[in-house]
Amino acid sequence: MKVLVFGSGGREHALAWALAKSARVTEVVCAPGNGGMAQVARLEPVVLSDVDSMVNLALREQPGMVVVGPELPLALGVVDALRERGVRVFGPTQAAAMLETSKSFAKRFLQRHQIPTANYAVCTNAHEVEDALGRFHAPMVVKADGLAAGKGVVICQTRRAAQEAAQGLFSGELLGLDGERQVVIEEFLSGDEVSFLCLCDGKTALPLAAAQDHKRIGEGDVGPNTGGMGVYSTDEIVDAEMREWLLRHVAQPTLRGMAAEGTPFTGVLYIGLMMTPRGPQVLEFNARFGDPETQAILARLDSDLAEALEAAIDGRLDEVELRWKPGASACVIASSSGYPGSYQTGKPIRGLDAAERVDGVAVFHSGTARRAGALVTFGGRVLGVTAAADSLREALARVYEAMSRIDFEGIYFRRDIGHRALRERP
Ligand code: AMP
Ligand code: GLY
């Protein structure tokens, strides 16, 4: 079977890498792909904000399965458009993707279905913000309602700061995008964050290995939020008892609620959780694989990914059991200095071959491109250096050894990925 993967990030590189290993897959095509994916796939041009270009490519290629990586084409309805043309596609419809596309939709859904989440208010103007802030204690969290690549969330220590953040979102100044019509104000939660991803077929949620992301740019979890600077996966992040709890109290009620409301959810339900002293609370839903969670999760997968995604498309996930390598995996992002603010691109990347010679290491490309045969930086997040091993300490040692062999002008990476787990289990 030929598989077509839409996207151009590290997540899609990892998906293409895992799909290429499947006995069922004869060819992987990535569109548009990036500088590194050509190692595992044929690349075809496509514009991820143009559903027609994606549908046309799928009709030309006639793949046995399409996998959609990023949120933007899901929000634009690419799954609906492909299904209408009879293409077998893994991912949620536009209506189901609302769980990610609109934070106000997701919060109201969570409340409607009594799924644990922080108290919140949806506001459409400064007056409503003022009103809502009266009901929250500092710190409070101000969120853009729409998609913002992980950068639309501001944690505010004072009411004044929260008002300013909301104003910045309404005016569009804060994100450099069109102004938001709505913002969500939320109570601040503290605890460990967990990314709990499930493959879904509308009825059954099949959990993937859980992971912990590090969203802040700075070591010690300081500075602005990013799309994710590094992640690790072990079985300890969510033990068997917690997995059952999360399925029963979060994943299954979500699938039942979406089905009952006429928008059954198929694809990856990414449940972002805060493990608070009063129990797990949903921070957010994403309607797709995480980046960089996917790089670390697939490094541990010991089952056939294509088979599992096909079962999700066919509504047979209740028959699938996934096997995971014991131990741990980690993925650390090398980014361009300046990210998540402005940064330069086009910097030559050196040392990848040497990095990949470290035992158990795979380097997934995020923002890279080939220019005149040379590999150069082409984004804020550039590479995801990934390794699996018997223990987290060993996985991280491999990642950082490989990272020390890579160089480009302005390279930045966090040296403390997994720090909480290592502190708890030295
Ligand atoms: P979201 O896009 O809603 O997941 O928010 C991005 C990140 O902001 C999360 O991964 C958390 O690190 C942080 N965050 C979001 N909501 C809250 C909250 N209510 N309390 C504390 N941190 C939050
Ligand atoms: N790593 C966070 C995300 O994919 O949204």
Side-chain angles (χ1 to χ4, degrees), residues 103 107 118 141 143 150-155 186-190 193 215-216 225-226 270 272 274 283-286:
K103 289 205 190 289
K107 292 297 287 192
V141 185
K143 299 184 174 187
K151 291 168 238 163
V153 174
V154 195
I155 294 163
E186 210 173 86
E187 115 196 75
F188 177 81
L189 301 173
S190 50
E193 262 187 82
K215 295 249 164 78
R216 305 292 198 93
N225 265 325
T226 69
Y270 167 140
M274 190 71 91
L283 283 178
E284 66 165 338
F285 285 124
N286 292 317

Side-chain angles (χ1 to χ4, degrees), residues 116-132:
T117 192
N119 291 321
Y120 73 100
V122 179
C123 304
T124 55
N125 59 45
H127 188 69
E128 287 177 15
V129 170
E130 175 84 42
D131 231 35

Side-chain angles (χ1 to χ4, degrees), residues 213 215 227 270 286 288 290-293:
D213 193 7
K215 295 249 164 78
Y270 167 140
N286 292 317
R288 50 165 176 84
D291 189 340
E293 284 88 343

Side-chain angles (χ1 to χ4, degrees), residues 287-365:
R288 50 165 176 84
F289 283 102
D291 189 340
E293 284 88 343
T294 304
Q295 292 87 312
I297 289 171
L298 293 181
R300 289 190 64 202
L301 181 64
D302 223 358
S303 297
D304 188 314
L305 179 65
E307 226 170 85
L309 301 189
E310 285 204 279
I313 294 173
D314 296 337
R316 294 185 281 107
L317 272 182
D318 55 340
E319 297 166 15
V320 178
E321 215 173 300
L322 295 175
R323 287 183 311 279
W324 301 95
K325 293 185 189 133
S329 62
C331 169
V332 177
I333 296 292
S335 65
S336 303
S337 80
Y339 173 79
S342 58
Y343 52 82
Q344 297 182 340
T345 59
K347 308 293 181 195
I349 301 170
R350 291 171 292 269
L352 284 190
D353 290 343
E356 291 199 295
R357 279 198 292 275
V358 178
D359 200 22
V361 165
V363 180
F364 297 116
H365 294 228

